[in-house]
Amino acid sequence: GAVVSQHPSWVICKSGTSVKIECRSLDFQATTMFWYRQFPKQSLMLMATSNEGSKATYEQGVEKDKFLINHASLTLSTLTVTSAHPEDSSFYICSAREGGQAYEQYFGPGTRLTVT
Amino acid sequence: GDSVTQMEGPVTLSEEAFLTINCTYTATGYPSLFWYVQYPGEGLQLLLKATKADDKGSNKGFEATYRKETTSFHLEKGSVQVSDSAVYFCALTGQAGTALIFGKGTTLSVSS
């Protein structure tokens, strides 16, 4: 089946610094990628939807200047958490979807971000 | 807007017990319905799906039937195993290509 990778799988950064998380579709072209955030023992919250070559669409309440999303190619999307704070510590998960009428989304394994 | 409600856990069962995790949804139109599973320390994996009313999705002994009349998509398994211990998420997508809307997840713990 389709595989989505994320890198890094975990990262620790200091408050005030920025960290970039990569999401790659390894064996298919992803016209759309989604970024989710998961708090401990809670569900996934959609942060933004990105289509290749266009600006991401952010969900209400998500700061687009803080969570920068770039979907520059059909196999790569990046999420940059800028000026990170401890409250940004979370599990970030991406998913990718092929084009057309495909319903299925393939999820990456997630990235655990800890801001100290 | 569209939403998913699933029973809250944790659900604790003995091996070989019968499992039901309830899931109901609210959506306009005809959503596609999914069950995802998240094993400890891993990402989400699609367990099964159904794209239209009365469809039954099945995989690894799990099954769920898309019931439009009751707006439900309950997950069932006849005999659970310890290896089934995980968090199960019910989800829907209203249109092809839109993001998934997840329920809060149900933690299942199976003991031998």
Side-chain angles (χ1 to χ4, degrees), chain A residues 38 91 93 108-110 112, chain B residues 35-48 59-62 75 77 81-89 106-108 110:
Chain A
Q38 185 180 28
F91 195 53
I93 303 172
R112 172 75 59 193
Chain B
W35 277 100
Y36 282 84
V37 59
Q38 186 177 32
Y39 297 103
E42 298 184 16
L44 270 74
Q45 300 174 29
L46 178 64
L47 182 59
L48 53 84
N59 185 26
K60 299 181 181 179
F62 292 89
L75 181 68
K77 186 174 185 181
Q81 305 300 312
V82 173
S83 57
D84 294 326
S85 298
V87 181
Y88 293 82
F89 292 93
T106 302
T107 300
L108 170 65
V110 181

Side-chain angles (χ1 to χ4, degrees), chain A residues 3-25:
Chain A
V3 179
V4 175
S5 69
Q6 278 184 245
H7 178 81
S9 56
W10 61 271
V11 58
I12 301 172
C13 71
K14 293 189 175 181
S15 188
T17 62
S18 296
V19 61
K20 180 183 287 187
I21 302 169
E22 292 185 348
C23 176
R24 292 181 185 273
S25 57

Side-chain angles (χ1 to χ4, degrees), chain A residues 31-45:
Chain A
T31 56
T32 305
M33 287 185 169
F34 305 92
W35 286 95
Y36 297 85
R37 183 172 178 177
Q38 185 180 28
F39 292 97
K41 302 188 185 229
Q42 293 190 31
S43 188
L44 283 75
M45 180 192 77

Side-chain angles (χ1 to χ4, degrees), chain A residues 73-116:
Chain A
S73 78
L74 285 171
T75 59
L76 173 65
S77 177
T78 60
L79 166 67
T80 302
V81 183
T82 63
S83 187
H85 289 98
E87 57 265 30
D88 299 325
S89 298
S90 192
F91 195 53
Y92 293 88
I93 303 172
C94 73
S95 70
R97 186 188 72 86
E98 293 183 275
Q101 292 298 304
Y103 285 92
E104 191 159 347
Q105 296 177 24
Y106 303 96
F107 284 81
T111 297
R112 172 75 59 193
L113 170 64
T114 301
V115 184
T116 60

Side-chain angles (χ1 to χ4, degrees), chain B residues 46-50 55-65 73 75-76:
Chain B
L46 178 64
L47 182 59
L48 53 84
K49 67 180 179 184
D55 267 2
K56 176 186 283 188
S58 62
N59 185 26
K60 299 181 181 179
F62 292 89
E63 59 181 34
T65 302
F73 193 54
L75 181 68
E76 297 181 336

